[in-house]
Amino acid sequence: MTSTTSNALLNQSIYQVFVRNYGPEGTFDEVTADLDRIKALGFDYLYLLPIFPIGKKNRKGTLGSPYAIRDYMAINPELGDLNSFKRLVKACHDRHMKVMLDIVFNHTAPDHYWTVDHPEYYYHREDGSFGNRVGDWSDIIDLDLSHPGLRQELINTLKYWAKEGVDAFRCDVASLLPLDFWLEARQEIQKVHPDHVWLAESVEPQFIRQLRSEGMHPITDSEVYQAFDCAYEYDILANFYQVLEGKASLRLWKYLLNFQQAIYPENAIKVRTLENHDQERIRSRVKSERSNLNCLAYSFFCKGMGFVYNGQEFQYAKRTTLFDKAPIDWNTPSPKYLTLLKRMLQLKKEDYFSQHKQFYVVEDDQEALELRYETKKEFIVGVFDILDQKGTYHIDLPDGSYINQINQEEIEIKAGQVDLALAPFIIHSKTKNA
């Protein structure tokens, strides 16, 4: 974690937008028109998938992936133009929201103009042709960041968008780029925008092992935090999905959450994603709406930044394709989910998220999650029945009546037992020394 990272990020949340599929139009103006709704829910950041022109060569699907970019300094005309982007940025700032832009510096589209003007910026196969080093990414070709000229071009790109009002960067497959580049880029952007926030899309452990076996040198989450304020939860997220699918024990997940607290810098910030554009929708992974509600509450209570992918708030179950037009159906709202989401976004502002003595998960064999924050005067305890088990739950708190901070209903603890059907719930209890 960098020395300039603010603990206040632990009180903040991100709303991710895929502009193309946000609605029938798929434009900046369409998103701008919906900002009042997003702000009313309580989000702090509007995170936009890449907004740049998409390559035509080797394009996947009809419209291509926004991660196959042919010009970092231009706007995809399907989304709007620079003026409509500026209107969106201004509208966010007017509502005291910040704008996070997805940056993709590992690769470009095969028809980026640099392939003609600066072929030296690219990785080349043994036969001299352009190529990529990873999987089935057939619609892109890799950059070679050992070239000083390329590094300066990329930093100039970041400076340009920071000057256009962008407040934060989400950096695609950040682990595949050299750490010294990110350190230099952060230092340069800080001169333009001192409070800029950096989110790394760090990668899965098995991906790191695979890349290393192929002679590549990806950076790990622990290294990422030297340059970034926060990182994805891909170090352990696959295990969470396995728990939901009955392929791993909940105890494993409890252990991994505590393990995170021990192996990263003291105030390292994870972004707690349940879903995003690269993952299946969380509603398709859980067995019931109640499980989904408990997962939502857990994700916002867990130490880190809150995160929602557009459509998640409607319990949208259909994964959105990156390559074609598939607008979200906003005609079937989910009142229970929206009410809970809004409340969790309110609770996220509580001081204990960023000003606690200790955060930990209770490790036991019970089939529910219990997370605790400890301050000088109290414990703040959250219980989440993500597997929809119900029954009774043993909790190490004094017997008595407590108020569920989520819905203001009463929670009774008798003989150390509580009704798990009341989850999700968050309660406060004084410490022994208070």
Side-chain angles (χ1 to χ4, degrees):
M1 186 177 202
T2 73
S3 60
T4 58
T5 296
S6 172
N7 250 22
L9 291 173
L10 293 167
N11 295 109
Q12 297 178 358
S13 301
I14 299 167
Y15 186 79
Q16 180 187 14
V17 168
F18 185 8
V19 178
R20 174 199 292 165
N21 285 332
Y22 198 73
E25 296 176 12
T27 62
F28 296 133
D29 287 342
E30 194 171 41
V31 177
T32 302
D34 199 31
L35 277 183
D36 285 337
R37 180 189 71 87
I38 299 169
K39 176 61 179 178
L41 287 171
F43 287 98
D44 305 284
Y45 285 84
L46 187 80
Y47 153 34
L48 304 171
L49 263 71
I51 61 172
F52 316 106
I54 294 171
K56 296 180 179 179
K57 186 177 181 180
N58 296 344
R59 175 178 284 189
K60 290 185 177 181
T62 306
L63 299 175
S65 168
Y67 292 89
I69 297 166
R70 58 185 173 88
D71 188 348
Y72 290 122
M73 305 289 270
I75 298 284
N76 181 351
E78 298 166 10
L79 311 182
D81 55 21
L82 184 59
N83 287 330
S84 58
F85 174 73
K86 288 181 176 181
R87 286 196 297 271
L88 174 57
V89 172
K90 183 179 185 303
C92 284
H93 291 169
D94 288 346
R95 291 161 176 79
H96 305 288
M97 295 177 66
K98 295 182 179 180
V99 176
M100 177 179 287
L101 187 58
D102 208 328
I103 297 296
V104 188
F105 284 171
N106 178 68
H107 49 259
T108 74
D111 47 354
H112 191 291
Y113 66 88
W114 285 344
T115 58
V116 175
D117 295 349
H118 290 285
E120 70 276 13
Y121 287 176
Y122 288 88
Y123 160 78
H124 294 268
R125 298 189 183 99
E126 290 185 2
D127 63 3
S129 64
F130 298 117
N132 72 76
R133 292 162 286 186
V134 178
D136 66 346
W137 298 356
S138 59
D139 56 341
I140 57 91
I141 53 175
D142 284 0
L143 292 166
D144 178 2
L145 270 80
S146 67
H147 196 287
L150 171 61
R151 289 187 174 214
Q152 191 57 56
E153 291 264 21
L154 297 178
I155 289 172
N156 289 343
T157 297
L158 295 173
K159 287 181 177 179
Y160 172 78
W161 291 110
K163 289 176 181 178
E164 289 296 347
V166 172
D167 306 283
F169 294 131
R170 179 269 189 191
C171 299
D172 187 62
V173 289
S175 303
L176 273 61
L177 280 71
L179 178 60
D180 64 342
F181 168 74
W182 291 126
L183 290 167
E184 180 184 1
R186 183 184 181 107
Q187 184 178 33
E188 289 300 309
I189 296 307
Q190 199 162 359
K191 298 174 184 176
V192 179
H193 197 309
D195 298 323
H196 210 83
V197 169
W198 296 73
L199 166 60
E201 187 203 19
S202 48
V203 299
E204 299 88 343
Q206 62 270 28
F207 193 27
I208 289 176
R209 293 195 300 269
Q210 175 195 336
L211 295 176
R212 285 175 172 171
S213 72
E214 296 172 2
M216 297 178 65
H217 306 285
I219 56 178
T220 63
D221 280 29
S222 56
E223 294 171 298
V224 157
Y225 280 119
Q226 296 180 48
F228 287 84
D229 300 292
C230 40
Y232 272 35
E233 199 174 19
Y234 283 168
D235 53 336
I236 62 173
L237 187 58
N239 300 102
F240 181 69
Y241 294 149
Q242 289 173 345
V243 169
L244 294 179
E245 295 163 3
K247 298 176 181 178
S249 71
L250 187 56
R251 176 138 198 177
L252 171 64
W253 183 246
K254 297 173 185 182
Y255 166 78
L256 290 172
L257 287 173
N258 283 334
F259 190 59
Q260 278 186 331
Q261 303 307 309
I263 63 172
Y264 298 129
E266 186 175 0
N267 287 317
I269 297 171
K270 283 290 181 181
V271 174
R272 302 296 179 179
T273 59
L274 293 175
E275 63 178 62
N276 58 54
H277 65 283
D278 280 328
Q279 303 293 332
E280 299 296 332
R281 294 283 188 173
I282 188 64
R283 186 63 184 92
S284 70
R285 293 183 185 272
V286 296
K287 70 178 184 179
S288 67
E289 181 183 47
R290 186 168 177 275
S291 291
N292 205 27
L293 292 168
N294 274 269
C295 284
L296 173 68
Y298 149 73
S299 72
F300 275 83
F301 188 76
C302 193
K303 182 182 176 182
M305 292 186 77
F307 187 99
V308 161
Y309 179 40
N310 54 201
Q312 180 182 332
E313 70 270 39
F314 275 36
Q315 297 198 75
Y316 206 65
K318 182 180 179 182
R319 183 173 177 177
T320 305
T321 173
L322 278 180
F323 313 119
D324 298 288
K325 183 72 174 173
I328 296 169
D329 178 6
W330 294 104
N331 295 315
T332 54
S334 178
K336 282 185 180 180
Y337 202 89
L338 283 167
T339 298
L340 178 60
L341 174 60
K342 188 169 184 178
R343 180 57 180 153
M344 294 309 301
L345 282 159
Q346 291 171 343
L347 288 172
K348 196 71 173 170
K349 302 302 181 186
E350 295 287 336
D351 288 345
Y352 62 81
F353 283 104
S354 55
Q355 300 175 32
H356 53 269
K357 287 173 57 180
Q358 184 177 195
F359 164 81
Y360 62 95
V361 182
V362 175
E363 290 187 51
D364 58 22
D365 292 324
Q366 296 187 92
E367 291 299 303
L369 284 172
E370 180 184 340
L371 284 63
R372 292 190 175 210
Y373 291 87
E374 181 182 349
T375 68
K376 290 182 179 180
K377 296 183 177 181
E378 63 179 357
F379 294 107
I380 302 90
V381 181
V383 174
F384 309 97
D385 187 14
I386 65 170
L387 300 178
D388 197 5
Q389 298 292 306
K390 300 188 179 71
T392 58
Y393 180 83
H394 174 75
I395 189 166
D396 184 17
L397 287 176
D399 286 0
S401 180
Y402 298 81
I403 297 299
N404 183 354
Q405 298 300 308
I406 295 176
N407 57 20
Q408 300 304 305
E409 293 180 357
E410 196 171 275
I411 301 282
E412 287 288 338
I413 299 177
K414 295 181 180 179
Q417 302 292 318
V418 65
D419 183 0
L420 196 52
L422 299 173
F425 62 81
I426 298 169
I427 57 179
H428 291 229
S429 178
K430 290 183 179 179
T431 62
K432 294 178 181 179
N433 299 322

